[in-house]
Amino acid sequence: AAALAGRALAERQGDMFFLGPPSLFGLYPPGLQRFGITPDRVLIGEVKAEKERLWALEEALRSGCFAAVLAVADSRDLTVSRRLHLAAEAGESMALLLCRTGGASAALTRWDVAPIAGDGKPRWRVSLQRCRGGRPAEFIAGWEHDALCLYPTALLGD
């Protein structure tokens, strides 16, 4: 998520807004610099109740003040995800919703991402589960710090 947010910050005006429950925070803004996100461009919001968190997310997206908005959600439904999708379009922001559970979604894409231990370079097992007009795919992704980009290191399956 930080890699995608870093790309959005490189391409658009605005800052990054990270919104989650207080119990989840281990976010260290200086650590985001490897993804092209400087600490002065990060705003962190802590909201315990999911209903209020989703409201704050929608308002942040609609405002147009942020290049990328990341939020953590316990659950989602089609109505909520549709509202968030429309808010992101209205504010021209990238919306990244980190969900711990599945369910219906109006998102353009849905991904499952898991870190891979290894040689110290960031790598993830990435599964594209849903893509409008596309088909599912699975691959290993790496991160190139100098170019600030994700790249596939190995394609899995067919």
Side-chain angles (χ1 to χ4, degrees), residues 74-157:
D74 293 323
S75 63
R76 60 184 170 185
D77 65 32
L78 194 55
T79 302
V80 168
S81 66
R82 181 69 179 146
R83 289 179 61 91
L84 295 174
H85 179 84
L86 292 172
E89 283 182 343
E92 297 180 6
S93 296
M94 176 186 282
L96 297 166
L97 189 59
L98 308 175
C99 299
R100 293 181 255 192
T101 61
S105 173
L108 295 176
T109 61
R110 184 176 21 212
W111 302 82
D112 183 53
V113 181
I116 296 176
D119 57 6
K121 295 181 181 177
R123 292 187 321 141
W124 302 270
R125 181 180 192 91
V126 179
S127 172
L128 175 59
Q129 298 177 335
R130 179 179 183 279
C131 178
R132 289 186 193 167
R135 60 188 181 122
E138 199 168 341
F139 56 95
I140 304 295
W143 176 252
E144 177 58 50
H145 295 291
D146 295 332
L148 295 178
C149 70
L150 288 165
Y151 61 93
T153 61
L155 298 175
L156 305 173

Side-chain angles (χ1 to χ4, degrees), residues 15-102:
D15 295 328
M16 177 180 123
F17 184 40
F18 187 90
L19 185 63
S23 63
L24 190 70
F25 280 96
L27 185 68
Y28 181 61
L32 296 173
Q33 289 184 1
R34 69 186 322 178
F35 299 106
I37 305 169
T38 58
D40 62 321
R41 295 191 70 190
V42 179
L43 177 67
I44 300 172
E46 295 180 357
V47 180
K48 186 173 184 177
E50 176 144 333
K51 182 177 179 182
E52 283 78 20
R53 195 172 333 122
L54 291 171
W55 174 84
L57 171 61
E58 184 177 346
E59 293 299 310
L61 289 168
R62 195 173 303 282
S63 74
C65 296
F66 301 100
V69 180
L70 281 78
V72 176
D74 293 323
S75 63
R76 60 184 170 185
D77 65 32
L78 194 55
T79 302
V80 168
S81 66
R82 181 69 179 146
R83 289 179 61 91
L84 295 174
H85 179 84
L86 292 172
E89 283 182 343
E92 297 180 6
S93 296
M94 176 186 282
L96 297 166
L97 189 59
L98 308 175
C99 299
R100 293 181 255 192
T101 61

